[in-house]
Amino acid sequence: MTSFADDHPSRLRRSVLSVPAVNVRALEKTHGLACDAVIFDLEDSVFPDKKAEARDNLCRFFAETPLRGREAVIRVNEIGSDYFAEDMAAVIACRPDAVLLPKVDGPDAVRAVADLLSEADVSEGLRIWAMIETPLGVLNAGQIAASGRTAGGRLDCFVVGLNDLRKATGVAPEPERIYLVPFLMQVILAARAYGLDAIDSVSNDFRDLEAFGRECLQGRSMGFDGKMLIHPAQIEGANRHFGFSPEAVAEARAIVAAFADPAAAALNVINVEGRMIERLHLDEAEKLLAKIAIIEQREGKIS
């Protein structure tokens, strides 16, 4: 049976840095950073009286010095807010890789934005990311994810927002996020059921890189593809913890090579160095190597 993930391209999203669009200096600095994606924020980090200025900054940035080699994502204000229509006009003008919708409670918001983009004749290459940061968003994560796999669906990625979720639920900010794990795993399950990526929430104290590292390890163990960041100091740790060990890369290359043997053409299970490997492992290996290829190309080390 064909998986929903089969037509979902491999993306490198270990480190996803959020940058306030109102801060011109921060926008300029994104060109020299090693993060995999940048979220240009028009929402929480921008005061109401600075929203128009932030949009102007973004339009100028995308027109004059667009980001190269990394995904560019614009986070707009919530649907129904006084700023949403103008935010989306800026998205359509800038043509980033994706638009990030905050506080998504259900699939209607995703469908509405997909329709808006289609009506504006925007290429399907401009994807939708959804922030899951409300109780309803967590409860409806499966329905939201499914909306990305309908005709014209553009949904590509979930981003968890724990600050708003903590506020809404009253869950205390425990260091190990123990009472939040069930919410996080529900988001992961929904994302994986429909072939989406999932990005873990921010770690608020960017000075405590040791605690940040533990949170990255926890997120990686839960299945997240990467982490949303609030400071460039967190990029190296996110890339390392959500990266790939030399052993994992070597194993992936061995699996791909083994299935490339003509003798394995009609086999679903083969022996690789004493281990029984299924074709599902081949899919995983190919996706891992696709991400490695992105890293190598970015670093100018194409092998």
Side-chain angles (χ1 to χ4, degrees):
M1 183 174 68
T2 302
S3 165
F4 283 106
D6 289 345
D7 61 353
H8 182 61
S10 292
R11 303 288 189 186
L12 193 64
R13 291 166 175 160
R14 302 165 299 175
S15 50
V16 181
L17 178 67
S18 181
V19 175
V22 74
N23 188 332
V24 174
R25 189 159 174 251
L27 295 180
E28 293 170 349
K29 283 186 174 181
T30 59
H31 292 293
L33 299 177
C35 54
D36 295 330
V38 176
I39 294 172
F40 298 97
D41 188 31
L42 293 171
E43 196 216 9
D44 282 348
S45 66
V46 181
F47 285 112
D49 61 353
K50 294 287 186 179
K51 300 286 189 184
E53 179 184 339
R55 283 192 294 268
D56 290 344
N57 289 346
L58 271 192
C59 289
R60 188 164 49 251
F61 178 86
F62 275 83
E64 298 175 1
T65 56
L67 197 66
R68 304 292 186 190
R70 274 86 42 79
E71 278 188 286
V73 183
I74 295 178
R75 179 163 72 165
V76 297
N77 286 274
E78 191 175 358
I79 291 180
S81 71
D82 293 337
Y83 316 107
F84 176 74
E86 290 179 275
D87 286 354
M88 286 304 301
V91 168
I92 290 168
C94 293
R95 302 296 171 104
D97 296 298
V99 56
L100 174 57
L101 310 181
K103 301 176 180 63
V104 175
D105 284 337
D108 289 349
V110 175
R111 294 192 189 106
V113 172
D115 289 344
L116 191 158
L117 292 171
S118 296
E119 289 166 6
D121 201 25
V122 175
S123 163
E124 288 194 9
L126 199 164
R127 311 300 292 169
I128 295 173
W129 291 19
M131 289 213 66
I132 306 299
E133 52 186 339
T134 66
L136 272 176
V138 174
L139 288 173
N140 294 329
Q143 296 177 46
I144 297 167
S147 71
R149 291 297 175 262
T150 57
R154 296 172 182 256
L155 188 62
D156 211 43
C157 186
F158 278 162
V159 182
V160 177
L162 288 185
N163 287 330
D164 283 283
L165 195 55
R166 285 190 187 101
K167 180 180 177 182
T169 59
V171 173
E174 299 285 346
E176 302 304 321
R177 308 192 295 184
I178 183 170
Y179 299 113
L180 292 166
V181 168
F183 303 160
L184 293 168
M185 293 308 301
Q186 190 159 329
V187 173
I188 284 287
L189 190 64
R192 294 299 180 254
Y194 293 97
L196 306 181
D197 281 352
I199 307 301
D200 196 3
S201 181
V202 299
S203 183
N204 293 314
D205 187 353
F206 63 83
R207 296 163 298 183
D208 191 345
L209 294 180
E210 186 176 336
F212 173 75
R214 290 195 300 270
E215 209 167 278
C216 285
L217 285 171
Q218 182 194 41
R220 177 66 183 266
S221 296
M222 285 190 288
F224 282 100
D225 296 284
K227 195 158 181 68
M228 185 176 175
L229 314 178
I230 58 171
H231 194 277
Q234 298 173 320
I235 294 172
E236 187 278 332
N239 284 348
R240 177 162 37 88
H241 290 298
F242 287 95
F244 317 99
S245 69
E247 294 78 12
V249 174
E251 181 182 46
R253 293 192 193 280
I255 291 172
V256 170
F259 273 104
D261 187 330
L267 300 177
N268 282 327
V269 181
I270 61 174
N271 185 324
V272 178
E273 298 177 0
R275 292 177 54 209
M276 300 309 294
I277 303 296
E278 300 179 52
R279 283 200 176 269
L280 65 89
H281 299 117
L282 173 63
D283 294 338
E284 294 170 354
E286 288 175 337
K287 288 177 181 177
L288 187 154
L289 294 180
K291 293 178 180 181
I292 293 297
I294 295 171
I295 296 171
E296 290 175 341
Q297 184 172 20
R298 186 183 297 166
E299 297 175 350
K301 299 176 182 177
I302 302 175
S303 56

